[in-house]
Amino acid sequence: MGLRIINRRPGRGGALFWGALPFLAVLALYLTFSAMRLADNPNDKLLPALSTIAETVVRLAFTPDQRTGQVLLWVDTAASLARLAWGLAVSAALGLVIGIASGLVPYLRAGLSPFVAVVSLIPPMALLPILFISFGLDELSKVVLIVIGIAPFLIRDLAMRVEAIPPELVIKAQTLGASTWQIITRLVLPTMLPKLIDALRLSLGPAWLFLISAEAIAAQDGLGYRIFLVRRYLAMDVILPYVAWITLLAFLMDWGLRAINRRTSPWLTRGMA
Amino acid sequence: MTISLKRISAVCLGLATAAAIACSPAGAEEKKDFKIAWSIYAGWMPWGYAADSGLMKKWADKYGINVEIVQINDYVESINQYTAGGFDGCVMTNMDALTIPAAGGVDSTALIVGDFSNGNDGVVLKTGKTVADIKGEKINLVQLSVSHYLLARALDSVGLTEKDVSIVNTSDADIVSVFTSSSDSKAVVTWNPQLAEVAAVKGATKVFDSSKVPGEIIDLLVVNTGTLKDNPALAKALTGVWYEMMEKMAAGDEAMLTHMAKASGTDLAGYKAQLVTTRMFYKPAEAVEFATSPQLPKTMDLVRTFSFEHGLLGEGAKTKDAVGIAFPSGEILGDAKNVKLRFDAEAMKLAAEGKL
């Protein structure tokens, strides 16, 4: 039995090694390609050497820009994170309020659920020209794009999860004399908060996508703005570290949300292996 | 474990090498098949006509080669593809030729000087009446493009700098809708056909355009220098077809003009209007004169100064001299050991002498 491959497990060190392998393979692939192109043309912009990328990162992250005097990476990061935070916060609030309301109150559900379902099917990018015209080119339209992109998903997810609360619990609360408001604050909210955070984690990818798309079209700063700006002259030495940085930020946000979930709702993981 | 590890790394390395060889940039060698990229712009429409009408094939056959003319929807993407080695040649402006392929180490030759913008690029204000009114305004434009360069020249003409305005990078596809319908947007810099539309907005004023800096925004056919050197037939075929088309255009060939108008999404009148602000070099002799004039190095000095100041010459560039630019006279701007952009008038001279 132990000989079959499905029964063989890597140890702790083995898991680390196998986990690292794809990353190392990609790195090796990049270095090979890059070295070959650079041997052909030392100024090649497509696959710059790691040393060039490092120089660019130093310039972007630690040296003030010669024209504006700002340190670009931090200015861009702050601008993007502020937009993202607004978008996520508004979406989460909408998801929580509308989701719980429509999951718990049949009349609201009848009125809201088909509308939300239809809205969630509109591709947000298709609305972008309208958003720019109605909300201007500034921050508002970018935040609204994120909200339109992810709020319907959060609302539907929460509503379905509220509906999935065992009816026995709701009836029990009612026989104990709880009002609707008490049921919401004492029963629904505590069960839903961790689910909302999980849904937010799943929305991080789309949220970044909408943010960067909005910044690509009209912006003065932001991570997406910089990438699409320097695309103009094929500055892969800027684009690659920016992509890595965005990925790291997204990973940290995901990790942070998971940590919050574990901290605020310890019962979720209790009993799990 | 160790054996499988070794095998895995060997396989990885093998794959990487194979892929790298498959994707390595088009090397310079004698060959028969060439690919030229072009994108929509008044002065470049003849390339589409060359492909559709069979004229390109006629000239390529004459020199025993194949030339494929490929239309790319996104202008910047076409230059990036050329720079990455996907094409042997591509149409672009003088500034983009310097900042994208040349700064990227791809030795490029401006084979044909097709035209220069003579009003095709402009600065439009919603409320102001002169360039000076731009002060303190937010301006929508495609940053780091010739629009940006034109703005810098406009500001310069009234003693302002970029610090006096704030620039919002806006995609050229959105410029018109942003300017016409958003109250946020009070000033734009853009090119035709968008320019014509924003200038037509009620109350808007075109306060500056490229006719005030004639000959500075030049539209070129740029070809890989190594490919050109190893394949002289390519230069002859491309120049030959180009000037046959220029002759037809100058003669007002209705069929050709209508074809190009349609391909650029307008009608004959609309296309003719765009040509008014495009200074086409219909005769090869005019293009030769322009390319060999002492004015060209002066223009390129302005362009490379702007490019360097905006970081467009890349990380390796410590001065504006980092990338060398060669002119037909033999004059060189910048680093003579790193000449990556060459203006060449030889093929156009042959065309002028009728030797193609």
Side-chain angles (χ1 to χ4, degrees), chain A residues 143-272:
Chain A
V143 173
V144 171
L145 180 72
I146 299 175
V147 172
I148 291 185
I150 65 172
F153 164 74
L154 292 178
I155 293 172
R156 295 182 82 192
D157 187 64
L158 263 265
M160 281 193 269
R161 285 167 186 277
V162 171
E163 285 173 50
I165 293 176
E168 297 88 344
L169 284 179
V170 184
I171 292 168
K172 196 184 276 176
Q174 291 185 60
T175 53
L176 290 171
S179 66
T180 302
W181 181 246
Q182 277 173 322
I183 291 176
I184 291 176
T185 51
R186 305 297 292 276
L187 171 66
V188 179
L189 215 52
T191 12
M192 284 307 123
L193 270 178
K195 306 230 152 70
L196 176 71
I197 290 176
D198 272 343
L200 261 186
R201 283 176 60 195
L202 290 179
S203 305
L204 282 180
W208 274 101
L209 173 71
F210 296 129
L211 173 74
I212 287 173
S213 310
E215 289 179 341
I217 291 176
Q220 286 171 284
D221 47 21
L223 297 166
Y225 158 81
R226 191 72 53 198
I227 287 177
F228 280 85
L229 181 66
V230 303
R231 164 181 176 266
R232 174 107 210 153
Y233 57 104
L234 207 67
M236 294 300 271
D237 56 332
V238 178
I239 295 177
L240 292 176
Y242 262 64
V243 172
W245 176 237
I246 289 173
T247 314
L248 180 68
L249 288 175
F251 176 79
L252 288 177
M253 286 165 73
D254 184 71
W255 183 80
L257 284 172
R258 203 176 56 177
I260 290 175
N261 234 357
R262 223 181 291 146
R263 180 69 60 86
T264 55
S265 320
W267 62 87
L268 274 179
T269 43
R270 193 178 296 155
M272 281 168 69

Side-chain angles (χ1 to χ4, degrees), chain B residues 66-218:
Chain B
N66 299 311
V67 180
E68 193 189 342
I69 308 267
V70 183
Q71 187 192 335
I72 310 270
N73 269 331
D74 186 323
Y75 166 67
V76 174
E77 198 49 45
S78 72
I79 307 175
N80 286 350
Q81 291 278 333
Y82 162 76
T83 307
F87 287 94
D88 301 294
C90 181
V91 293
M92 60 189 86
T93 67
N94 52 334
M95 183 177 135
D96 293 316
L98 175 67
T99 57
I100 308 175
V106 175
D107 195 329
S108 296
T109 295
L111 183 67
I112 299 174
V113 179
D115 68 273
F116 64 76
S117 169
N118 197 22
N120 257 343
D121 299 75
V123 184
V124 176
L125 301 187
K126 222 176 240 172
T127 45
K129 295 288 169 220
T130 67
V131 179
D133 295 333
I134 238 177
K135 194 169 182 188
E137 289 287 353
K138 222 185 224 185
I139 302 166
N140 295 99
L141 55 81
V142 180
Q143 241 179 305
L144 308 181
S145 70
V146 287
S147 293
H148 199 159
Y149 172 77
L150 185 74
L151 175 70
R153 297 286 284 142
L155 292 170
D156 206 33
S157 72
V158 291
L160 295 173
T161 68
E162 271 186 54
K163 289 204 174 90
D164 297 312
V165 296
S166 67
I167 293 173
V168 182
N169 186 44
T170 310
S171 139
D172 52 313
D174 293 300
I175 286 264
V176 175
S177 65
V178 157
F179 189 73
T180 50
S181 51
S182 169
S183 53
D184 291 355
S185 174
K186 299 227 164 48
V188 295
V189 187
T190 187
W191 56 81
N192 266 326
Q194 294 97 317
L195 177 65
E197 292 191 44
V198 292
V201 169
K202 205 168 168 234
T205 317
K206 184 158 74 181
V207 294
F208 195 84
D209 69 33
S210 53
S211 66
K212 308 245 171 65
V213 288
E216 289 188 22
I217 299 174
I218 314 167

